[in-house]
Each structure stands twice: as C-alpha cells, then as structure tokens.
Amino acid sequence: MAGEFARIDSIHKVIGRKPKRNEEIELTDLVAALVPEPSNPHDVNAVMVQINGQHVGYLEKEDAARYHMVMRQVWDAGFVAATGARVWASARDVRDSKKLKYVARVTLALNEPHLLLPLNDPPTRDHSIIPWGSGLQVTGEEQHQDVLARYATSIGDGVVLATLGIIQGGTAKTPRDVVEVRIDGGRIGQLTPASSQHFVPTIRHLESEGRAAVVWLRVKGNAIAAQAVLQAARAHELSNEWFTEPETIPKLRG
C-alpha cells in the first residue's frame, strides 16, 4: 500500500481509536474494497483502497499498473473488487517533543493478476463454488485439448470455473465412483478413483440441495498442449461456515 501516512486519521477510524504511546495495534481478517480511480490526476491506473468506508490509501503505482484492469473489469460489471486486509498502527515518541508520531501500515492479500478472475462465467444453474485448495492433476486431458484450447492464454496460465460430476468407473466387478470435470459443459478429463473419493461427498451434498459442484481449475500451457489442475478443498477440509449458504461469484463477462 502507498499513502498511509497521509490518511492516519482514516486508519484510526478503522481501528476505533488512536494508539497509545509505544502501543502497537494489529487488526487482521479485514475486508478492503479496491476502487479504480481513472480520474486521478497523478495516475490514470490508480486504485483506491477503502476499509469500513474509510479511504486508507492506494495500491503502489507499480502494482496499480498490473492490477487496475482486473479491478476495472469488476467495476464495469457493476461490482466492487474486495480482498483480505491487515492494518498495523503504532505511536512513537518524537525527540525533543511531547508530541507522538503516529505510523501505520496496510497490507493486502492479492494473488497474481491473471489468477484473480476466471476466464469464463459461472454456470447459470444453481451451484456453489468449493473453496480453493491444494492442486490435483486432472487425468485424460490430453484427449480433450479441443476444449482446453479455448482457455489457453498468451502467458500460459489462467483460472476457469469447472463443474464436477459423478460417473461410473472402475471395472465391471469392482465399480467405483469417479469424478468427471467439465468446463462450460465440455468434458476435459476426470480424477483418479482414489482422488475422486475426496470430492464425492461434497458433490452428493450439493446435488441433494439441487446445486452443481463448481471448482477453480488452473489451466497451464498453450492451445496445443494444455494441462488442467484442480484447486479445491477436500470434503474433510470444508469449514462449517461454507455449508450455510452457496458460495458464488457474479457474471463478469458478456
């Protein structure tokens, strides 16, 4: 972040008070709104940061140049981009003065720009997005390069929203549930029988509520050789809060 020193009063309002002499205050798990400000006279790429309605600073100029297009895409679709934030503040003695010097730092949690928004829109049917988790390779994607090629980017890396379904796998004697992976209705592969068992309970739970199971899928490579990596939390990793209401994102394209 940049410009915190000029907005100490706003940061103190976020905290709820000024720090006492030599006191350090740290607030985590805050939510920051990222608002593009193309009319800014100093930087047309400027991205303003607000916490609890208070303007607490800007993205650094170099970072704003990288991130402003993503924030603008969200803004132009009628929404405000938001992310996790942390605020630290303190008060220090000033030599030969009875006054205190107030200092503060605001830190944001942001992935690389090309990994923030999906390359496609979410499904139109009722669904819930499984939280981001450790990567798991999709198998058989070499047979579906025609579908994956639609999502290959110029930098060879991006994320899409994929739908999980259960199909019959294994053998005739020992059939097993296998998870099939689709992007916008097109099959791009499946998980191994062993890996599938991590997601079958979640898929069945959502199906019982009339919802599709949607996951983040990272697509790497190019139009002739692309790989798909599932980034989703396993069933035992889901928090109780995730079950309270569907996890979705708005349509940002079209």
Side-chain angles (χ1 to χ4, degrees), residues 11-46:
I11 293 175
H12 289 166
K13 289 179 181 178
V14 171
I15 295 172
R17 64 178 177 86
K18 294 181 179 179
K20 300 176 182 178
R21 176 178 277 102
N22 296 325
E23 179 187 18
E24 294 189 4
I25 300 175
E26 184 177 31
L27 297 182
T28 59
D29 298 328
L30 298 172
V31 176
L34 306 172
V35 182
E37 199 178 71
S39 60
N40 188 297
H42 304 291
D43 184 8
V44 295
N45 296 329

CSV table of all heavy atoms in Angstrom, one decimal, residues 11-46:
chain,number,residue,atom,x,y,z
A,11,ILE,N,-7.3,5.7,9.1
A,11,ILE,CA,-6.8,4.4,9.7
A,11,ILE,C,-7.2,4.3,11.1
A,11,ILE,O,-7.7,3.2,11.6
A,11,ILE,CB,-5.3,4.2,9.4
A,11,ILE,CG1,-5.0,4.1,7.9
A,11,ILE,CG2,-4.8,3.0,10.2
A,11,ILE,CD1,-3.6,4.0,7.6
A,12,HIS,N,-7.1,5.4,11.9
A,12,HIS,CA,-7.5,5.4,13.3
A,12,HIS,C,-9.0,5.1,13.4
A,12,HIS,O,-9.5,4.4,14.4
A,12,HIS,CB,-7.1,6.7,14.0
A,12,HIS,CG,-5.6,6.8,14.2
A,12,HIS,ND1,-5.0,8.0,14.5
A,12,HIS,CD2,-4.6,5.9,14.1
A,12,HIS,CE1,-3.7,7.8,14.6
A,12,HIS,NE2,-3.5,6.6,14.4
A,13,LYS,N,-9.8,5.6,12.5
A,13,LYS,CA,-11.2,5.4,12.5
A,13,LYS,C,-11.5,3.9,12.2
A,13,LYS,O,-12.4,3.3,12.8
A,13,LYS,CB,-11.9,6.2,11.4
A,13,LYS,CG,-12.0,7.7,11.8
A,13,LYS,CD,-12.7,8.5,10.7
A,13,LYS,CE,-12.7,10.0,11.1
A,13,LYS,NZ,-13.3,10.8,10.1
A,14,VAL,N,-10.7,3.3,11.3
A,14,VAL,CA,-10.9,1.8,11.1
A,14,VAL,C,-10.6,1.0,12.4
A,14,VAL,O,-11.3,0.1,12.8
A,14,VAL,CB,-9.9,1.4,10.0
A,14,VAL,CG1,-9.9,-0.2,9.9
A,14,VAL,CG2,-10.4,2.0,8.6
A,15,ILE,N,-9.5,1.5,13.1
A,15,ILE,CA,-9.1,0.8,14.3
A,15,ILE,C,-10.1,1.1,15.5
A,15,ILE,O,-10.4,0.2,16.3
A,15,ILE,CB,-7.7,1.2,14.7
A,15,ILE,CG1,-6.7,0.8,13.7
A,15,ILE,CG2,-7.4,0.7,16.1
A,15,ILE,CD1,-5.3,1.3,13.9
A,16,GLY,N,-10.7,2.3,15.5
A,16,GLY,CA,-11.6,2.7,16.5
A,16,GLY,C,-11.0,3.7,17.5
A,16,GLY,O,-11.8,4.2,18.3
A,17,ARG,N,-9.7,3.9,17.4
A,17,ARG,CA,-9.1,4.9,18.3
A,17,ARG,C,-7.6,5.0,17.9
A,17,ARG,O,-7.1,4.3,17.1
A,17,ARG,CB,-9.1,4.4,19.8
A,17,ARG,CG,-8.3,3.1,20.0
A,17,ARG,CD,-8.4,2.7,21.5
A,17,ARG,NE,-7.7,1.4,21.7
A,17,ARG,CZ,-6.4,1.3,22.0
A,17,ARG,NH1,-5.6,2.4,21.9
A,17,ARG,NH2,-5.8,0.1,22.2
A,18,LYS,N,-7.0,6.0,18.5
A,18,LYS,CA,-5.5,6.2,18.3
A,18,LYS,C,-4.7,5.3,19.2
A,18,LYS,O,-5.1,5.1,20.3
A,18,LYS,CB,-5.1,7.7,18.6
A,18,LYS,CG,-5.7,8.7,17.6
A,18,LYS,CD,-5.2,10.1,18.0
A,18,LYS,CE,-5.8,11.1,17.0
A,18,LYS,NZ,-5.4,12.5,17.4
A,19,PRO,N,-3.6,4.8,18.7
A,19,PRO,CA,-2.7,4.0,19.6
A,19,PRO,C,-2.2,4.9,20.7
A,19,PRO,O,-1.9,6.1,20.6
A,19,PRO,CB,-1.6,3.5,18.7
A,19,PRO,CG,-2.1,3.7,17.3
A,19,PRO,CD,-3.0,4.9,17.4
A,20,LYS,N,-1.9,4.3,21.9
A,20,LYS,CA,-1.2,5.0,23.0
A,20,LYS,C,0.3,5.0,22.7
A,20,LYS,O,0.8,4.3,21.8
A,20,LYS,CB,-1.6,4.3,24.3
A,20,LYS,CG,-3.1,4.3,24.6
A,20,LYS,CD,-3.3,3.5,25.9
A,20,LYS,CE,-4.8,3.5,26.2
A,20,LYS,NZ,-5.1,2.7,27.4
A,21,ARG,N,1.0,5.7,23.5
A,21,ARG,CA,2.5,5.8,23.4
A,21,ARG,C,3.1,4.4,23.4
A,21,ARG,O,2.8,3.6,24.3
A,21,ARG,CB,3.1,6.7,24.5
A,21,ARG,CG,4.6,6.7,24.5
A,21,ARG,CD,5.2,7.6,25.5
A,21,ARG,NE,5.2,9.0,25.1
A,21,ARG,CZ,4.3,9.9,25.5
A,21,ARG,NH1,3.4,9.6,26.3
A,21,ARG,NH2,4.4,11.2,25.0
A,22,ASN,N,3.9,4.1,22.4
A,22,ASN,CA,4.6,2.8,22.2
A,22,ASN,C,3.7,1.6,22.1
A,22,ASN,O,4.1,0.4,22.2
A,22,ASN,CB,5.6,2.6,23.4
A,22,ASN,CG,6.7,3.6,23.4
A,22,ASN,OD1,7.1,4.1,22.3
A,22,ASN,ND2,7.1,4.1,24.5
A,23,GLU,N,2.4,1.8,21.9
A,23,GLU,CA,1.5,0.7,21.7
A,23,GLU,C,1.4,0.3,20.3
A,23,GLU,O,1.5,1.1,19.4
A,23,GLU,CB,0.1,1.1,22.2
A,23,GLU,CG,-1.0,0.0,22.0
A,23,GLU,CD,-2.4,0.5,22.3
A,23,GLU,OE1,-2.6,1.7,22.3
A,23,GLU,OE2,-3.3,-0.4,22.5
A,24,GLU,N,1.3,-1.0,20.0
A,24,GLU,CA,1.1,-1.5,18.7
A,24,GLU,C,-0.2,-2.2,18.6
A,24,GLU,O,-0.6,-3.0,19.4
A,24,GLU,CB,2.2,-2.5,18.3
A,24,GLU,CG,3.6,-1.8,18.2
A,24,GLU,CD,4.6,-2.8,17.6
A,24,GLU,OE1,4.3,-3.9,17.3
A,24,GLU,OE2,5.8,-2.4,17.6
A,25,ILE,N,-1.0,-1.8,17.6
A,25,ILE,CA,-2.3,-2.4,17.3
A,25,ILE,C,-2.3,-3.0,16.0
A,25,ILE,O,-1.9,-2.5,15.0
A,25,ILE,CB,-3.4,-1.3,17.3
A,25,ILE,CG1,-3.5,-0.6,18.7
A,25,ILE,CG2,-4.8,-1.9,17.0
A,25,ILE,CD1,-4.5,0.6,18.8
A,26,GLU,N,-2.8,-4.3,15.9
A,26,GLU,CA,-2.9,-5.0,14.7
A,26,GLU,C,-4.2,-5.6,14.5
A,26,GLU,O,-4.7,-6.3,15.4
A,26,GLU,CB,-1.8,-6.1,14.6
A,26,GLU,CG,-1.8,-6.8,13.3
A,26,GLU,CD,-0.7,-7.9,13.2
A,26,GLU,OE1,-0.3,-8.4,14.2
A,26,GLU,OE2,-0.1,-8.1,12.1
A,27,LEU,N,-4.9,-5.3,13.4
A,27,LEU,CA,-6.2,-5.9,13.0
A,27,LEU,C,-6.0,-6.8,11.8
A,27,LEU,O,-5.5,-6.3,10.8
A,27,LEU,CB,-7.2,-4.8,12.8
A,27,LEU,CG,-7.6,-3.9,14.0
A,27,LEU,CD1,-8.7,-2.9,13.6
A,27,LEU,CD2,-8.0,-4.7,15.2
A,28,THR,N,-6.5,-8.0,11.9
A,28,THR,CA,-6.4,-8.9,10.7
A,28,THR,C,-7.8,-9.3,10.3
A,28,THR,O,-8.8,-8.9,11.0
A,28,THR,CB,-5.6,-10.2,11.1
A,28,THR,OG1,-6.2,-10.8,12.2
A,28,THR,CG2,-4.2,-9.9,11.5
A,29,ASP,N,-7.9,-10.0,9.3
A,29,ASP,CA,-9.2,-10.5,8.8
A,29,ASP,C,-10.2,-9.4,8.4
A,29,ASP,O,-11.4,-9.5,8.5
A,29,ASP,CB,-9.9,-11.4,9.8
A,29,ASP,CG,-9.1,-12.7,10.0
A,29,ASP,OD1,-8.4,-13.1,9.1
A,29,ASP,OD2,-9.1,-13.2,11.2
A,30,LEU,N,-9.6,-8.2,8.0
A,30,LEU,CA,-10.4,-7.1,7.5
A,30,LEU,C,-10.7,-7.3,6.0
A,30,LEU,O,-10.1,-8.1,5.3
A,30,LEU,CB,-9.7,-5.8,7.7
A,30,LEU,CG,-9.4,-5.4,9.2
A,30,LEU,CD1,-8.5,-4.2,9.2
A,30,LEU,CD2,-10.7,-5.2,9.9
A,31,VAL,N,-11.7,-6.6,5.5
A,31,VAL,CA,-12.0,-6.6,4.1
A,31,VAL,C,-11.8,-5.3,3.5
A,31,VAL,O,-12.3,-4.3,4.0
A,31,VAL,CB,-13.5,-7.1,3.9
A,31,VAL,CG1,-13.9,-7.0,2.4
A,31,VAL,CG2,-13.7,-8.5,4.4
A,32,ALA,N,-11.0,-5.2,2.4
A,32,ALA,CA,-10.7,-4.0,1.8
A,32,ALA,C,-11.4,-3.9,0.4
A,32,ALA,O,-11.4,-4.9,-0.4
A,32,ALA,CB,-9.2,-3.8,1.6
A,33,ALA,N,-12.0,-2.8,0.1
A,33,ALA,CA,-12.6,-2.6,-1.3
A,33,ALA,C,-11.5,-1.9,-2.1
A,33,ALA,O,-10.8,-1.0,-1.7
A,33,ALA,CB,-13.8,-1.7,-1.1
A,34,LEU,N,-11.4,-2.4,-3.4
A,34,LEU,CA,-10.4,-1.8,-4.3
A,34,LEU,C,-11.2,-1.1,-5.5
A,34,LEU,O,-11.8,-1.8,-6.3
A,34,LEU,CB,-9.6,-3.0,-4.9
A,34,LEU,CG,-8.9,-3.9,-3.8
A,34,LEU,CD1,-8.3,-5.1,-4.4
A,34,LEU,CD2,-7.9,-3.1,-3.0
A,35,VAL,N,-11.1,0.2,-5.5
A,35,VAL,CA,-11.9,1.0,-6.4
A,35,VAL,C,-11.0,1.7,-7.4
A,35,VAL,O,-10.2,2.5,-7.0
A,35,VAL,CB,-12.7,2.1,-5.6
A,35,VAL,CG1,-13.6,2.9,-6.5
A,35,VAL,CG2,-13.5,1.4,-4.5
A,36,PRO,N,-11.2,1.4,-8.7
A,36,PRO,CA,-10.4,2.1,-9.7
A,36,PRO,C,-10.7,3.6,-9.7
A,36,PRO,O,-11.9,4.0,-9.5
A,36,PRO,CB,-10.8,1.4,-11.0
A,36,PRO,CG,-12.1,0.7,-10.7
A,36,PRO,CD,-12.1,0.4,-9.3
A,37,GLU,N,-9.7,4.4,-10.0
A,37,GLU,CA,-9.9,5.9,-10.0
A,37,GLU,C,-9.3,6.5,-11.2
A,37,GLU,O,-8.2,7.1,-11.1
A,37,GLU,CB,-9.3,6.4,-8.7
A,37,GLU,CG,-9.8,7.8,-8.3
A,37,GLU,CD,-9.2,8.3,-7.0
A,37,GLU,OE1,-8.0,8.6,-7.0
A,37,GLU,OE2,-9.9,8.4,-6.0
A,38,PRO,N,-9.9,6.2,-12.4
A,38,PRO,CA,-9.2,6.7,-13.6
A,38,PRO,C,-9.1,8.2,-13.7
A,38,PRO,O,-8.3,8.7,-14.5
A,38,PRO,CB,-10.1,6.1,-14.7
A,38,PRO,CG,-11.5,5.9,-14.0
A,38,PRO,CD,-11.1,5.5,-12.6
A,39,SER,N,-9.9,9.0,-12.9
A,39,SER,CA,-9.8,10.4,-13.0
A,39,SER,C,-8.7,11.0,-12.1
A,39,SER,O,-8.6,12.2,-12.0
A,39,SER,CB,-11.2,11.0,-12.6
A,39,SER,OG,-11.5,10.6,-11.2
A,40,ASN,N,-8.0,10.1,-11.4
A,40,ASN,CA,-6.9,10.6,-10.6
A,40,ASN,C,-5.9,11.4,-11.4
A,40,ASN,O,-5.3,10.9,-12.4
A,40,ASN,CB,-6.2,9.4,-9.9
A,40,ASN,CG,-5.2,9.8,-8.8
A,40,ASN,OD1,-4.2,10.4,-9.1
A,40,ASN,ND2,-5.5,9.3,-7.6
A,41,PRO,N,-5.6,12.6,-11.0
A,41,PRO,CA,-4.7,13.5,-11.8
A,41,PRO,C,-3.2,13.0,-11.8
A,41,PRO,O,-2.5,13.4,-12.7
A,41,PRO,CB,-4.8,14.8,-11.1
A,41,PRO,CG,-5.2,14.5,-9.7
A,41,PRO,CD,-6.1,13.3,-9.8
A,42,HIS,N,-2.9,12.1,-10.9
A,42,HIS,CA,-1.5,11.7,-10.8
A,42,HIS,C,-1.2,10.3,-11.5
A,42,HIS,O,-0.1,10.0,-11.8
A,42,HIS,CB,-1.0,11.6,-9.3
A,42,HIS,CG,-1.2,12.9,-8.5
A,42,HIS,ND1,-0.5,14.0,-8.8
A,42,HIS,CD2,-2.1,13.2,-7.6
A,42,HIS,CE1,-0.9,15.0,-8.0
A,42,HIS,NE2,-1.9,14.5,-7.2
A,43,ASP,N,-2.3,9.5,-11.6
A,43,ASP,CA,-2.1,8.2,-12.2
A,43,ASP,C,-3.5,7.7,-12.7
A,43,ASP,O,-4.4,7.4,-11.9
A,43,ASP,CB,-1.5,7.3,-11.1
A,43,ASP,CG,-1.2,5.9,-11.7
A,43,ASP,OD1,-1.3,5.7,-12.9
A,43,ASP,OD2,-0.9,5.0,-10.8
A,44,VAL,N,-3.6,7.5,-14.0
A,44,VAL,CA,-4.9,7.0,-14.5
A,44,VAL,C,-5.2,5.6,-14.1
A,44,VAL,O,-6.3,5.1,-14.2
A,44,VAL,CB,-4.9,7.2,-16.1
A,44,VAL,CG1,-4.8,8.6,-16.5
A,44,VAL,CG2,-3.7,6.4,-16.7
A,45,ASN,N,-4.1,4.9,-13.7
A,45,ASN,CA,-4.3,3.5,-13.3
A,45,ASN,C,-4.6,3.4,-11.8
A,45,ASN,O,-4.6,2.3,-11.2
A,45,ASN,CB,-3.0,2.7,-13.6
A,45,ASN,CG,-2.8,2.6,-15.1
A,45,ASN,OD1,-3.7,2.6,-15.9
A,45,ASN,ND2,-1.5,2.5,-15.5
A,46,ALA,N,-4.7,4.5,-11.1
A,46,ALA,CA,-4.8,4.5,-9.6
A,46,ALA,C,-6.0,3.6,-9.1
A,46,ALA,O,-7.1,3.5,-9.7
A,46,ALA,CB,-5.0,5.9,-9.1
